[in-house]
Amino acid sequence: MDLIQNLELEILELREMLKNKEEDLREAKRNKFSKSYDNVIGTKSNINIGNIPKWAIERYSRQILLPDIGVMGQEKLMSSKVLIVGAGGLGCPASVYLAGAGIGEIGIVDYDTVDISNIHRQILHTESDWCKSKAKSAAESLRRINSNIKVTPYTIEFKPENAVQIASNYDLIIDCTDNVPTRYMLSDLSIITKVPLISGSALKMEGQLTIYGYRESRNEKSSGPCYRCLFPTPPPAAAVGSCSANGVAGPVPGAIGSLQALEAIKLLVGRNRENLLVGRMLIFDGEDMTFRTVKLRPKNPKCESCSDHATIKQLTNYEVLCKMQSKEKDLDLNILPQSHRISATELSKSLNTQRHLLIDVRSEAEYNMCHLEDSVNYPLEQLYGEKFDLLVENIKNNDNVIFICRRGNDSQIAADKILKVLPDAKIKDLSGGLHAWAEQVDRRFPIY
Ligand SMILES: Nc1ncnc2c1ncn2[C@@H]1O[C@H](COP(=O)(O)OP(=O)(O)OP(=O)(O)O)[C@@H](O)[C@H]1O
């Protein structure tokens, strides 16, 4: 028995020794690598091979082996500057691969902070980055991936007042944002500054990407349509989906962001127009796992931004263009008069004394995530379907009807629609929605 125990102890000791030796070996390798890098920085020493140093050949060998990249392509990547706007679902994977590929300088712009609901897809941020600036968190992670590149975080909103000055320092812009005003601005910016733009988007299980503002050389006209050629007038704000309202599967922006990085690498090493997504859009459907490329409409000969008759010579107010309300106003539509609204605290008190019909108009998936006890689910779109009459009948027979949604906008739309057919109905909407409930009444209720 003793013999077996002794042997086991010896095995444990040997394992420990092996682990230490392995760590020593890794440390020695790391030292060797950084020493050889130190030798090269700031010098044209004789260990340079061709035009790129030994350390870079070792580090980037797997992509240099590709005939489309090669040593010359690697040199171009290492002297390129890429600006990534948005450090979210698309910006994280796009910048990871660009940092990995050794892009000389990466600028990353984002005014927001990391939210816990971002982490399922925004792979540069971790739990310990929660509430940190996204641009700073992304920059820190990128520097950990590649300490040989320069990374500049911009913790600001990218807007007409600062966009031209920042973008002019870069060779390429990558649109990783999530809103229409910024998309129009980036497209115009690309035409004005002659910096090409790789635009991506992802929502639910779908994503797409294309290149705008591509030019064979700076003196040539841009090829392919710009965003304004395709969408001369912005869609109504309500028709635009967002990840926070519609959801997104993490790997979908992961795939699109990675492909944006791939297009960036190809563009920077000088691949031909035909090999790039110029005048074409790649569409990915994660539901049935298909990729398809569609040809985009040609340039609009009357485009205000990129045609010969362009009138847009400087950036304008894109919030006005897209008829956006300010973010605060967005949170509360104020459709209903005060007499048809009830605060979360008032509702909580009233629930203790009276019977109510609580109608939750969120989607079924949201309702299943969390809902108030005894509420019934009646998704907003059903108000426009065949069950509407049934709902009206139900409401007629109730004295206390409360419409509920996430933030208090859809519930007002629903209540307003019912009031148009039943003007005397005893209807109210929960002001501020379930967010207000979570903040004012029950902190256990999840805010999403
Ligand atoms: N004009 C802008 N300037 C700087 N950053 C921007 C601008 N417009 C959008 N962004 C950033 O682009 C990123 C887009 O990321 P993503 O689409 O994953 O959405 P999100 O806002 O992080 O998450 P969610 O929609 O789930 O709340 C966000 O971090 C947002 O702050």
Side-chain angles (χ1 to χ4, degrees):
M1 198 59 190
D2 276 356
L3 185 67
I4 292 176
Q5 272 178 346
N6 282 343
L7 274 173
E8 277 176 350
L9 274 175
E10 271 181 43
I11 289 172
L12 275 178
E13 274 171 19
L14 280 170
R15 279 211 179 117
E16 194 54 30
M17 267 170 60
L18 196 63
K19 230 169 91 187
N20 290 340
K21 286 268 173 249
E22 277 173 358
E23 189 41 49
D24 287 351
L25 202 63
R26 272 198 294 273
E27 187 58 33
K29 265 191 182 170
R30 277 197 292 265
N31 280 340
K32 191 174 152 216
F33 176 83
S34 62
K35 279 206 185 96
S36 65
Y37 178 52
D38 289 347
N39 283 341
V40 174
I41 285 181
T43 70
K44 285 262 181 252
S45 89
N46 57 5
I47 65 163
N48 280 9
I49 299 167
N51 282 326
I52 55 174
K54 174 180 177 285
W55 68 264
I57 293 193
E58 286 172 354
R59 176 162 192 147
Y60 304 118
S61 58
R62 299 302 185 267
Q63 66 192 36
I64 294 175
L65 284 171
L66 299 173
D68 288 338
I69 297 184
V71 172
M72 266 170 61
Q74 187 60 44
E75 253 187 282
K76 286 182 186 160
L77 296 180
M78 288 164 65
S79 57
S80 295
K81 299 177 177 186
V82 176
L83 181 68
I84 296 167
V85 188
L90 297 167
C92 288
S95 55
V96 163
Y97 284 110
L98 293 177
I103 298 299
E105 280 189 45
I106 294 180
I108 187 144
V109 198
D110 204 309
Y111 56 83
D112 203 3
T113 53
V114 177
D115 185 78
I116 196 70
S117 66
N118 294 150
I119 293 173
H120 85 118
R121 67 185 189 284
Q122 303 187 8
I123 54 171
L124 287 178
H125 317 303
T126 64
E127 286 174 15
S128 55
D129 299 315
W130 193 358
C131 298
K132 233 192 219 174
S133 141
K134 280 190 186 178
K136 279 191 183 153
S137 156
E140 283 165 17
S141 300
L142 294 175
R143 288 186 196 118
R144 274 197 296 274
I145 290 169
N146 195 341
S147 59
N148 300 324
I149 62 170
K150 183 176 170 196
V151 185
T152 310
Y154 299 90
T155 56
I156 51 169
E157 181 179 0
F158 202 54
K159 52 185 180 181
E161 292 78 6
N162 55 30
V164 175
Q165 203 200 350
I166 295 176
S168 305
N169 294 321
Y170 291 87
D171 305 309
L172 174 65
I173 306 168
I174 310 203
D175 180 1
C176 297
T177 65
D178 57 352
N179 60 82
V180 181
T182 309
R183 285 198 193 291
Y184 275 99
M185 179 180 78
L186 292 179
S187 177
D188 289 352
L189 177 70
S190 156
I191 301 298
I192 291 169
T193 56
K194 299 188 175 178
V195 180
L197 171 70
I198 300 183
S199 173
S201 66
L203 191 66
K204 298 182 188 176
M205 296 289 272
E206 269 186 28
Q208 40 193 247
L209 72 145
T210 188
I211 300 181
Y212 298 120
Y214 172 82
R215 292 163 205 262
E216 297 285 345
S217 73
R218 260 187 94 80
N219 298 330
E220 308 249 342
K221 287 192 181 135
S222 64
S223 313
C226 73
Y227 190 70
R228 271 189 200 264
C229 294
L230 301 175
F231 307 103
T233 48
V240 182
S242 70
C243 293
S244 57
N246 302 84
V248 63
V252 174
I256 300 298
S258 308
L259 292 173
Q260 284 180 290
L262 180 59
E263 280 303 88
I265 291 170
K266 284 164 55 196
L267 192 146
L268 293 169
V269 301
R271 296 293 289 140
N272 293 332
R273 181 192 188 285
E274 298 72 47
N275 302 108
L276 298 166
L277 285 170
V278 176
R280 298 185 293 144
M281 180 176 276
L282 182 78
I283 301 175
F284 169 59
D285 183 340
E287 191 64 51
D288 53 17
M289 276 301 180
T290 52
F291 281 97
R292 64 201 166 93
T293 311
V294 294
K295 209 167 163 227
L296 295 174
R297 245 181 281 147
K299 256 172 175 296
N300 173 359
K302 293 187 182 146
C303 178
E304 291 177 305
S305 181
C306 72
S307 74
D308 290 339
H309 312 287
T311 48
I312 297 170
K313 302 288 179 201
Q314 55 186 29
L315 301 180
T316 66
N317 186 328
Y318 295 87
E319 303 258 314
V320 170
L321 171 79
C322 299
K323 298 188 184 65
M324 299 280 290
Q325 291 169 307
S326 78
K327 289 189 180 84
E328 289 74 35
K329 279 190 194 149
D330 258 1
L331 289 182
D332 194 350
L333 284 179
N334 273 331
I335 298 173
L336 292 180
Q338 225 28 58
S339 53
H340 281 291
R341 312 206 66 188
I342 185 165
S343 74
T345 33
E346 282 164 351
L347 176 62
S348 151
K349 279 184 207 146
S350 178
L351 284 174
N352 289 332
T353 54
Q354 297 175 58
R355 278 176 60 84
H356 292 73
L357 173 60
L358 302 177
I359 304 178
D360 188 325
V361 297
R362 294 172 303 150
S363 68
E364 196 184 332
E366 286 175 276
Y367 180 80
N368 288 341
M369 211 153 46
C370 50
H371 56 256
L372 293 187
E373 209 179 339
D374 296 330
S375 61
V376 291
N377 187 211
Y378 193 92
L380 190 65
E381 55 278 11
Q382 289 186 12
L383 283 179
Y384 303 91
E386 54 199 33
K387 287 191 189 157
F388 181 67
D389 292 341
L390 204 69
L391 179 71
V392 171
E393 277 312 306
N394 229 327
I395 287 173
K396 260 186 200 166
N397 302 323
N398 267 285
D399 280 346
N400 272 317
V401 181
I402 311 288
F403 278 93
I404 297 169
C405 71
R406 184 175 164 200
R407 298 184 117 144
N409 287 337
D410 285 350
S411 54
Q412 289 188 72
I413 295 172
D416 186 53
K417 184 152 174 22
I418 298 289
L419 284 168
K420 291 218 163 75
V421 279
L422 290 178
D424 300 324
K426 306 272 187 310
I427 289 181
K428 288 193 172 167
D429 101 289
L430 171 58
S431 191
L434 291 167
H435 270 210
W437 182 268
E439 274 158 11
Q440 296 165 23
V441 177
D442 188 352
R443 294 217 161 254
R444 290 166 309 170
F445 203 86
I447 295 181
Y448 65 94

